[in-house]
Amino acid sequence: MSSIYRTLTGGTFRDIALACLAVWCIGLSYGAVAVASGFPLWVPAALSVLVLAGASEFLFIGIVAAGGNPIAAALAGLLVNARHLPYGLALPDMAGPDVTGRVWRRLLGTHVMNDESVVFALAQEDLPRKRAAYWACGLGVLICWPAGAVLGALIGGVIGNTSAFGLDAMFPAVILALIVPALRDRATLQAALVGAVIALAATPFLPAGLPVLLALAGVLGLIIPRPATRPSTQPATRPSTRPATRPSTRPATGKSTRREAR
């Protein structure tokens, strides 16, 4: 842990702390909604530690509270979490084969993989900072999300639905602020716009979570290789064929000083 503090800058720690604060606030809403839907406190508490995926947990709680089958709710949560598959594929290419460590550290690192930890890792320049940002944010979320969920469940009867305070808007706002610098690249911006259009078009027709998965089609523009730029066919400038000025062969006008031998 001390190496993480030595590796990351103060600005990165501040951004990670703000992201974890947003996660904690959303956890309050999640715990309050779960208890208000009739679940005992241990359900959101256990899910927040074992699942550690806010979107899937919200979806599970909502489907079961509406009378749906818990197995179907769990499958829907797995479908939403399918976005972690490209995360896992991108991490080795992004930060080398040992971004999370070995054996038990790799297992723990896989568990704390989430949107925030991946985004912060991708935003760093070199491997040590990528690894430090990944662990700092992942462990921060592992602490803040269950803490917010338990506290929200305890005071859920008093606060009610915390979404009325606009706390649910903090999470997407933080993610948007994190990805804005990457949108300066033209290819990345085009992929993001294509994904946004696909998600918006599919939202009225598909269940929650599926439009986000379909938006990954925008990444195909970054994967498909582009044709190489053809060399210019404009002929090169011809060298001048004008003959160089030849030295004058005109004899000198001076008189010769050489005398013939008699």
Side-chain angles (χ1 to χ4, degrees), residues 74-244:
L75 293 177
L78 288 175
L79 184 60
V80 172
N81 268 0
R83 68 186 188 277
H84 289 84
L85 293 176
Y87 288 172
L89 295 175
L91 281 176
D93 295 335
M94 175 269 296
D98 196 26
V99 68
T100 57
R102 300 176 181 177
V103 193
W104 68 269
R105 291 187 63 191
R106 185 176 294 276
L107 295 177
L108 178 60
T110 303
H111 183 60
V112 299
M113 179 187 297
N114 50 60
D115 300 330
E116 298 83 1
S117 60
V118 173
V119 168
F120 274 108
L122 290 171
Q124 306 306 312
E125 299 177 355
D126 50 31
L127 176 59
R129 293 184 181 182
K130 291 178 187 293
R131 183 182 291 113
Y134 182 88
W135 277 106
C137 187
L139 294 177
V141 172
L142 180 60
I143 296 173
C144 293
W145 176 251
V150 172
L151 182 59
L154 291 174
I155 61 178
V158 178
I159 296 180
N161 187 5
T162 55
S163 297
F165 297 94
L167 297 177
D168 53 338
M170 293 182 63
F171 183 75
V174 170
I175 295 297
L176 179 61
L178 292 175
I179 66 174
V180 163
L183 298 180
R184 297 175 182 175
D185 180 68
R186 184 176 181 180
T188 304
L189 178 60
Q190 291 177 351
L193 291 176
V194 171
V197 171
I198 294 175
L200 290 175
T203 297
F205 310 102
L206 296 178
L210 289 182
V212 177
L213 296 178
L214 290 180
L216 293 175
V219 183
L220 295 178
L222 299 176
I223 299 176
I224 300 176
R226 299 181 180 181
T229 304
R230 301 179 61 182
S232 176
T233 57
Q234 183 178 0
T237 304
R238 289 186 175 183
S240 176
T241 58
R242 183 178 179 181

